[in-house]
């Protein structure tokens, strides 16, 4: 028997006067008008929340809780180490642990974008391969989520957003990032497939609600050579480079508006 979870954070467009405005539904079951959104020409059922404050200095970084044999998840341990280091005096760093459960992870991601309204959200996940690699994920995929989560469920329709685009690219150019950074003691590679599990699902959800201003980094499991402190330092290096890109994008946006 197939188990499916009902997504408790949903979005839709309604007509108010002559304008279409978004509503969002949370676990309470109530639809609430949150913010004005932007319709996409290629898919009238898809909209993104245009909530990006150009002056925002908040960066949210998430890791995941325990799952399967990983009672200590390296992603969350790395994020905690990052929080000790920070991202500089001008950045308000907020960290959050996400559960390895589709529905609950989606709720948390929705709340990040509607309440904190960050400049950037970076999700960190555990890559359960034997190779010690850091993987930069360029995009999130909407469909193919057949694998059950920690609660034994998978999303309705095996997809993130019903009617959403097949994939969404991050505004962060991971290839440029990869060319310009290095972390001593570990290789960094690029990827366009985050795995069709909670990591990929979370990433797509964040890209969708955050209008592309999200990134995903896979880190290896902890070991004698790959410690939480080591990964925390690596995250700091990578995310600071991402913020440089964000600064360049802001400057370009300001020039266009003038």
């Amino acid at each position: 028997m197939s188990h499916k979870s009902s997504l408790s954070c949903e979005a839709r467009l309604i007509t108010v006067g002559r304008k279409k405005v978004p509503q969002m539904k949370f676990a309470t079951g109530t639809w609430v008008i949150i913010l004005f959104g932007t319709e996409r020409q290629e898919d009238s059922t898809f909209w993104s929340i245009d909530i990006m404050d150009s002056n925002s200095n908040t960066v949210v970084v998430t890791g995941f809780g325990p799952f399967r044999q990983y009672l200590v998840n390296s992603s969350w341990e790395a994020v905690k180490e990052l929080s000790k280091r920070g991202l500089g005096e001008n950045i308000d760093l907020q960290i959050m642990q996400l559960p390895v459960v589709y529905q609950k992870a989606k709720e948390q991601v929705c709340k990040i974008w509607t309440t904190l309204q960050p400049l950037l959200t970076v999700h960190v996940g555990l890559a359960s391969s034997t190779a010690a690699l850091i993987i930069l994920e360029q995009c999130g995929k909407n469909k193919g989520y057949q694998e059950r989560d920690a609660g034994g469920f998978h999303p309705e329709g095996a997809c993130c957003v019903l009617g959403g685009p097949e994939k969404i690219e991050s505004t962060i150019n991971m290839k440029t990032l990869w060319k310009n950074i290095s972390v001593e003691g570990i290789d960094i590679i690029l990827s366009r497939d985050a795995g069709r599990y909670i990591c990929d699902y979370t990433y797509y959800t964040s890209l969708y609600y955050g209008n592309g201003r999200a990134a995903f980094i896979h880190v290896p499991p902890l070991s004698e050579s790959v410690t939480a402190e080591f990964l925390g330092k690596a995250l700091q290096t990578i995310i600071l480079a991402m913020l440089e890109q964000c600064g360049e994008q802001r400057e370009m946006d300001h020039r266009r508006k003038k």
Side-chain angles (χ1 to χ4, degrees), residues 6-237:
S6 58
L7 301 179
S8 59
C9 182
E10 302 174 37
R12 68 185 180 188
L13 286 171
I14 63 169
T15 301
V16 177
R18 294 185 178 181
K19 293 182 179 180
K20 286 187 177 295
V21 297
Q23 284 186 316
M24 190 168 288
K25 181 181 180 182
F26 289 98
T28 59
T30 303
W31 288 91
V32 180
I33 295 175
I34 304 291
L35 294 160
F36 286 98
T38 305
E39 288 186 89
R40 295 291 177 91
Q41 296 296 322
E42 67 269 22
D43 186 347
S44 62
T45 64
F46 171 62
W47 61 277
S48 59
I49 306 176
D50 190 14
I51 60 175
M52 303 308 148
D53 178 0
S54 61
N55 296 314
S56 173
N57 68 337
T58 299
V59 173
V60 179
V61 183
T62 73
F64 288 97
F67 79 109
R68 296 176 183 164
Q69 73 269 32
Y70 299 103
L71 300 180
V72 176
N73 193 315
S74 61
S75 68
W76 179 237
E77 298 305 309
V79 170
K80 288 191 294 184
E81 286 295 326
L82 171 67
S83 71
K84 297 175 185 178
R85 294 175 169 274
L87 294 170
E89 294 181 358
N90 296 325
I91 296 296
D92 176 21
L93 173 62
Q94 302 285 331
I95 67 170
M96 182 181 299
Q97 186 187 85
L98 300 178
V100 186
V101 177
Y102 291 109
Q103 178 180 341
K104 292 180 180 179
K106 185 169 188 176
E107 273 189 37
Q108 295 279 27
V109 170
C110 289
K111 288 177 183 178
I112 287 171
W113 288 109
T114 56
T115 60
L116 297 176
Q117 301 181 21
L119 166 65
L120 179 70
T121 297
V122 181
H123 304 286
V124 184
L126 187 158
S128 55
S129 63
T130 55
L133 297 169
I134 290 176
I135 307 170
L136 306 177
E137 304 288 353
Q138 182 62 63
C139 58
K141 306 290 178 60
N142 191 23
K143 297 179 180 179
Y145 297 94
Q146 300 287 354
E147 191 171 355
R148 295 180 183 180
D149 61 21
F153 297 94
H154 62 75
E156 180 183 357
C159 72
C160 296
V161 178
L162 295 173
E166 289 294 318
K167 67 178 179 179
I168 305 177
E169 303 269 343
S170 172
T171 57
I172 300 296
N173 187 318
M174 297 298 180
K175 188 172 184 179
T176 299
L177 188 71
W178 170 73
K179 287 180 177 179
N180 294 331
I181 62 169
S182 64
V183 175
E184 186 177 354
I186 195 166
D187 290 330
I188 300 175
I189 64 172
L190 301 175
S191 168
R192 295 187 64 84
D193 187 351
R196 301 303 206 289
Y197 190 47
I198 305 295
C199 290
D200 207 348
Y201 185 86
T202 297
Y203 193 20
Y204 182 94
T205 300
S206 196
L207 289 166
Y208 182 85
Y209 289 107
N211 202 21
R213 290 183 183 264
F216 200 102
I217 303 169
H218 268 120
V219 297
L222 298 179
S223 65
E224 288 186 10
S225 60
V226 181
T227 63
E229 184 179 4
F230 174 84
L231 291 176
K233 184 178 180 180
L235 287 182
Q236 184 187 48
T237 299

